[in-house]
Amino acid sequence: MAVWGWLSLAVCQVEAASAIPVVHRSQGPEAAGSMLASVGAVLIKGEVPTSKEFENLAMSAWQAAGHPGLGLGNYNKVGTVQRPMLSEGIYDVAAGAPAHLPVSPHSEQAYLYQVPRFCGFVCMRAADTGGELQLFDNVLLGTELRNLTDKLAKLGLTYFRVMGDQVHSANWSYATGMWQDRFGTTSWPEAKRLASLDEMMGGKPGAELGPWLQGTVILNWTVPAVTWINMTSNSHEKTKPAKAVLQSILDSHKSVNYGTGIPALHSTWGDGSEFEEWELAAFRAAVTRSLWVSVKLEEGDVVVVDNWHYAHGRLPYEGPRKHAALISDRFPRQVQQQQEACV
């Protein structure tokens, strides 16, 4: 499959200065939480943590940032792509994009109706060259997209996942897996019923399951794309809510799917219409302009990110690279009608 020009945009853009605040692990969770609350991301320095230490560092940071009691989320329990697990709740980030291609900017699980509020990354081994973690400002993205932001607010986004069938497409090897495993049944009517009840995926309308090409099946659902987040000043005083675009458009679109054969992922406007080429180009350009930071993590570095404020991506790399990730529990994003009801 052809991969559109994000690669050239990603590697030719001017690298952003590292604006991410840095604290040392010895300074405690309050220091990390303060930076996370005021900026939306924090880099925690220290020795390579164990999986449990990584979990505690991330959770204590977002809890100290004003979310007490917010626990660890289970990525594979709800998502449509299964990531390899390094330990309970800790996932290998290498799933998906090969090393020589970038990971397109996205907010973690933005394709769901309920989205993780925070995500964390840890570097256990840095690549020989490249592999920088990039963070993109979703509020700036909403501004850069101009009229397309209004269209996103009106229509939302529809996401598609193709899965295999244990009988009719048993050779399906993509990480979306088999529909029988996804829904825990071999009954097609029961699987369709369960999809329609999946509020985590598509809200009250749930998702729709249907037959697809070469014996596969396709699952699709529609979610909002524009949310409101409370921006916080350095003094931790709440400012006016800001409009942010929370999306997984570019890493889901069929034109950028990795591998050969039937594309396993796709995204469209919420009314089912395909993105026009100029719209895709506008998305790519706006995302590039929303780049906030590009930083190559060192071994032991832990980054905790406000997943609603910043999308993340990765540049191509060479040599072994081992990074892991985790997510917080999920919340329904704040759409305009909800925001207006609160003011």
Side-chain angles (χ1 to χ4, degrees):
M1 277 168 281
V3 176
W4 43 247
W6 166 253
L7 176 59
S8 59
L9 283 171
V11 298
C12 293
Q13 64 194 1
V14 177
E15 185 171 301
S18 180
I20 187 169
V22 179
V23 301
H24 194 274
R25 200 174 303 172
S26 61
Q27 295 177 256
E30 290 76 16
S34 176
M35 292 297 97
L36 183 59
S38 61
V39 180
V42 63
L43 169 57
I44 306 171
K45 288 282 188 179
E47 299 297 320
V48 177
T50 65
S51 294
K52 192 63 179 178
E53 288 171 339
F54 172 41
E55 175 186 328
N56 289 337
L57 282 167
M59 287 181 57
S60 61
W62 69 55
Q63 289 177 358
H67 296 265
L70 179 59
L72 192 67
N74 185 324
Y75 187 98
N76 289 336
K77 182 178 181 180
V78 178
T80 55
V81 174
Q82 297 291 299
R83 285 186 180 270
M85 294 185 66
L86 300 180
S87 64
E88 186 65 31
I90 311 298
Y91 306 92
D92 186 349
V93 301
H100 69 282
L101 293 176
V103 172
S104 302
H106 62 285
S107 287
E108 203 62 40
Q109 294 195 328
Y111 53 80
L112 295 178
Y113 192 82
Q114 296 187 17
V115 184
R117 192 66 174 87
F118 296 93
C119 56
F121 306 96
V122 60
C123 174
M124 293 178 282
R125 178 170 179 172
D128 294 340
T129 59
E132 290 85 353
L133 170 69
Q134 296 183 300
L135 299 179
F136 300 79
D137 190 331
N138 289 335
V139 176
L140 179 58
L141 176 61
T143 300
E144 292 288 344
L145 284 173
R146 301 174 186 263
N147 291 340
L148 288 179
T149 297
D150 296 333
K151 188 173 180 179
L152 286 167
K154 179 181 179 181
L155 297 181
L157 293 166
T158 295
Y159 292 101
F160 296 81
R161 297 294 184 266
V162 176
M163 294 177 285
D165 179 279
Q166 291 175 350
V167 175
H168 301 294
S169 51
N171 61 343
W172 182 257
S173 60
Y174 194 80
T176 49
M178 303 290 174
W179 68 265
Q180 291 94 337
D181 295 328
R182 169 65 176 79
F183 293 101
T185 180
T186 58
S187 166
W188 181 250
E190 176 63 6
K192 287 176 67 69
R193 187 187 73 84
L194 292 172
S196 70
L197 297 176
D198 195 337
E199 293 192 8
M200 183 70 77
M201 184 163 288
K204 289 184 179 179
E208 183 176 347
L209 186 66
W212 196 235
L213 307 173
Q214 300 176 23
T216 62
V217 303
I218 191 166
L219 185 71
N220 71 88
W221 64 98
T222 302
V223 299
V226 176
T227 188
W228 293 83
I229 59 175
N230 287 321
M231 305 290 284
T232 310
S233 67
N234 289 333
S235 62
H236 290 196
E237 294 177 357
K238 296 296 182 181
T239 62
K240 184 177 180 180
K243 187 187 299 185
V245 173
L246 220 64
Q247 53 79 31
S248 187
I249 298 170
L250 300 179
D251 68 322
S252 292
H253 194 266
K254 64 182 180 182
S255 63
V256 82
N257 287 177
Y258 310 109
T260 59
I262 301 171
L265 313 179
H266 191 40
S267 57
T268 68
W269 291 108
D271 62 0
S273 59
E274 298 286 344
F275 298 119
E276 297 185 30
E277 284 302 318
W278 74 266
E279 291 173 326
L280 286 174
F283 283 134
R284 294 194 292 269
V287 165
T288 299
R289 291 193 296 270
S290 73
L291 177 64
W292 177 60
V293 66
S294 183
V295 58
K296 183 173 181 178
L297 300 185
E298 299 177 339
E299 292 181 4
D301 284 355
V302 171
V303 174
V304 185
V305 178
D306 182 335
N307 188 50
W308 291 15
H309 192 168
Y310 296 108
H312 59 273
R314 170 195 50 76
L315 290 181
Y317 66 91
E318 295 180 357
R321 180 181 188 268
K322 189 175 182 181
H323 283 212
L326 53 75
I327 59 173
S328 75
D329 278 341
R330 305 165 178 85
F331 296 98
R333 68 196 86 197
Q334 291 289 321
V335 297
Q336 186 171 7
Q337 292 87 344
Q338 294 170 325
Q339 185 64 35
E340 291 173 345
C342 295
V343 297

